[in-house]
Amino acid sequence: MAGDVTQALARFAATLTYDQIPESAREHCKNLLLDAVACALAGKQGEETPQVAAFASALAQSHESSVIGGERLSLAGSTMLNGFLITAVTMCDVHRATLTHITPEVVPPALAIAERDGLSGRDLLVALAAGCEVMTRIGIGMDWPAARAKGWHGPGVLGPFGAAAAVGRLLGFDEEAMARAYGLAGSQSAGTFAAWGTPTVKFHQCRGALSGLMAALLAQQKFVATREFLTARDGGLFNTYSNGGRPDIATADLGKRWELEQIALRLWPSASTIQGFVTAMFELVEKHGLGFDQVKKVRVFMNQTGVDMHGMFPRYKGKFEALLSTHYCAAVILHDRALTLAQFEPARYNDPTLARFAAEQVETKVDASFTGVQSVVEADLAGGKTISVRCDHSKGSPENPLTRAEIVEKFRAYGKSVLGGGRVEDAIAAITKLEDLKSARGLMDALRSGEEQRTRKSA
């Protein structure tokens, strides 16, 4: 029944055990954690990272929790900064059914509590599964297209629930305490697409992580809150933020079908909605061997949402707009045959040749039959020939997943300069065998910056 949804999800998160999680879901949780940490290490290069770091360090003056690739801050500070780092350079996961990044909200508070309390890797794995599953199921139960039509942005709306579920599981909540944590999480749900095109959309992620942490810690103190937040007639999430939602979907086959396995990863930096187009572009240059000088015109066909959100930056300004720009990504993939953070440095995106090609020779067009990340790229060649490539499932999607080896390589690529090769390998080994890790503190020790480690040893 609709009124039982919050309680059912609270019972699920509070009672979930390692043995109840199928191997495929466990392994995907490890992939999500590996990828989230890789993204956080890359996030050290984010333009706004210093601003958020300064804000996070000002939240409190204790130093019990590690920042990935950084030092120690308070529980709140590390949760906030790690959440931002994961999403800072636009290459983290996305649950496509809700257009929502999941790991920036779930992973940071779980790492902070697991480290503070010296909990095991198995405890952490169960908490991550609980948080990711609860968050994605609340999202699909909300009837996300209806919520999106009202302007809501998933990370800030759904994120507090996932974070609260993960932290509550680590703190050993029973069903009643978990339900209250959801009530406190929902009371902080916020964030709309009015922020689109600005770094504030990334703030939604880290704020969602912090909101969930606060919800769980307050629930631990037995703070009174509603235990039926999702479907409450007056002000419930599904009724107020959507059209009443689909509560039955939120709990259908709970514990049997794992929605978290539908969380997609990204091999390349750039917005999640254009990952299908990026996949098609790489097929264009790799399979057909096209060179930059051979192409007169590139046409990119996407759905209306894709064009509205990513066809608006033919003349992009700065790194963030370049990361969102279909026009720039087409130009630089064609020219460099690569798309890493190196392609989003000022010297690259300000290159006059690329900027001119993006503005004048790339066109975005709507195909009303397309959904999700579906895309077609057409390239008109100098000799008059046109080559077309279609992508239905982007690289990293559940239908076209990244391999563990590809995720590990992403980790190494962005981690070595921050951590050093030895500690990168230690962290990869710890996450790969997470269920055997005796204490999360060992993982977090490996993930702090080499500079921080050297400072502590010399102190």
Side-chain angles (χ1 to χ4, degrees), residues 331-410:
V332 77
I333 293 171
L334 195 59
H335 190 282
D336 292 3
R337 305 174 73 85
L339 195 67
T340 69
L341 289 184
Q343 275 68 49
F344 294 98
E345 289 301 311
R348 204 75 204 100
Y349 60 71
N350 286 330
D351 179 276
T353 299
L354 293 177
R356 185 167 52 252
F357 190 98
E360 299 176 4
Q361 293 172 255
V362 179
E363 181 182 5
T364 58
K365 305 190 75 171
V366 174
D367 187 317
S369 69
F370 284 176
T371 60
V373 299
Q374 287 180 314
S375 180
V376 165
V377 175
E378 292 181 351
D380 293 342
L381 307 188
K385 183 179 179 180
T386 296
I387 297 177
S388 177
V389 174
R390 178 182 175 117
C391 176
D392 288 314
H393 304 294
S394 59
K395 185 69 174 173
S397 67
E399 301 85 359
N400 185 16
L402 298 185
T403 65
R404 176 68 58 78
E406 288 173 318
I407 301 169
V408 165
E409 187 54 38
K410 178 179 174 181

Side-chain angles (χ1 to χ4, degrees), residues 194-223:
W196 182 250
T198 76
T200 300
V201 297
K202 296 184 285 187
F203 173 70
H204 294 170
Q205 276 86 288
C206 59
R207 199 272 310 156
L210 180 58
S211 292
L213 173 68
M214 291 192 296
L217 293 178
L218 195 53
Q220 187 182 33
Q221 300 303 317
K222 303 186 185 304
F223 194 88

Side-chain angles (χ1 to χ4, degrees), residues 90 196-197 269-275 277-278 281 300 302 306-333 339 343-344 349 354-355 357-359 362 364:
T90 317
W196 182 250
S270 68
S272 59
T273 306
I274 60 173
Q275 291 292 300
F277 142 71
V278 172
M281 280 298 305
V300 180
M302 299 182 289
V307 172
D308 288 347
M309 295 176 67
H310 302 288
M312 60 188 291
F313 303 109
R315 291 178 172 82
Y316 47 86
K317 297 177 182 178
K319 179 182 290 189
F320 188 52
E321 288 191 5
L323 284 162
L324 300 180
S325 172
T326 301
H327 297 76
Y328 174 69
C329 289
V332 77
I333 293 171
L339 195 67
Q343 275 68 49
F344 294 98
Y349 60 71
L354 293 177
F357 190 98
V362 179
T364 58

Side-chain angles (χ1 to χ4, degrees), residues 79-394:
T79 294
M80 174 67 74
L81 184 50
N82 283 333
F84 187 83
L85 286 171
I86 292 170
T87 194
V89 291
T90 317
M91 60 192 300
C92 64
D93 68 281
V94 63
H95 180 239
R96 297 204 181 281
T98 57
L99 302 175
T100 299
H101 309 297
I102 306 298
T103 61
E105 299 86 64
V106 174
V107 169
L111 289 178
I113 294 297
E115 179 185 19
R116 184 197 69 174
D117 295 350
L119 300 174
S120 71
R122 184 168 294 208
D123 292 329
L124 176 59
L125 180 57
V126 173
L128 293 176
C132 291
E133 190 68 10
V134 165
M135 183 173 169
T136 53
R137 280 183 169 271
I138 290 175
I140 60 174
M142 196 171 175
D143 191 358
W144 192 255
R148 174 64 185 91
K150 292 176 177 289
W152 295 111
H153 185 222
V157 172
L158 305 174
F161 294 99
V167 173
R169 185 65 190 80
L170 289 168
L171 295 175
F173 281 5
D174 60 16
E175 177 185 334
E176 191 271 341
M178 191 71 77
R180 284 189 285 107
Y182 292 171
L184 288 160
S187 294
Q188 302 173 78
S189 289
T192 73
F193 272 92
W196 182 250
T198 76
T200 300
V201 297
K202 296 184 285 187
F203 173 70
H204 294 170
Q205 276 86 288
C206 59
R207 199 272 310 156
L210 180 58
S211 292
L213 173 68
M214 291 192 296
L217 293 178
L218 195 53
Q220 187 182 33
Q221 300 303 317
K222 303 186 185 304
F223 194 88
V224 177
T226 177
R227 288 175 289 177
E228 188 47 70
F229 188 88
L230 298 177
T231 56
R233 185 183 301 275
D234 186 7
L237 190 80
F238 291 171
N239 289 319
T240 305
Y241 289 52
S242 185
N243 57 359
R246 294 287 307 279
D248 55 317
I249 294 179
T251 56
D253 296 321
L254 184 61
K256 297 178 181 178
R257 184 191 65 80
W258 288 78
E259 184 64 25
L260 67 80
E261 294 188 76
Q262 297 303 307
I263 302 172
L265 301 179
R266 279 185 271 187
L267 188 59
W268 308 287
S270 68
S272 59
T273 306
I274 60 173
Q275 291 292 300
F277 142 71
V278 172
T279 302
M281 280 298 305
F282 272 103
E283 182 176 345
L284 194 70
V285 299
E286 292 171 356
K287 182 177 179 180
H288 296 280
L290 295 186
F292 187 77
D293 294 334
Q294 295 175 267
V295 179
K296 293 173 57 181
K297 186 83 172 182
V298 174
R299 285 181 297 279
V300 180
F301 296 84
M302 299 182 289
N303 62 26
Q304 186 71 60
T305 298
V307 172
D308 288 347
M309 295 176 67
H310 302 288
M312 60 188 291
F313 303 109
R315 291 178 172 82
Y316 47 86
K317 297 177 182 178
K319 179 182 290 189
F320 188 52
E321 288 191 5
L323 284 162
L324 300 180
S325 172
T326 301
H327 297 76
Y328 174 69
C329 289
V332 77
I333 293 171
L334 195 59
H335 190 282
D336 292 3
R337 305 174 73 85
L339 195 67
T340 69
L341 289 184
Q343 275 68 49
F344 294 98
E345 289 301 311
R348 204 75 204 100
Y349 60 71
N350 286 330
D351 179 276
T353 299
L354 293 177
R356 185 167 52 252
F357 190 98
E360 299 176 4
Q361 293 172 255
V362 179
E363 181 182 5
T364 58
K365 305 190 75 171
V366 174
D367 187 317
S369 69
F370 284 176
T371 60
V373 299
Q374 287 180 314
S375 180
V376 165
V377 175
E378 292 181 351
D380 293 342
L381 307 188
K385 183 179 179 180
T386 296
I387 297 177
S388 177
V389 174
R390 178 182 175 117
C391 176
D392 288 314
H393 304 294
S394 59

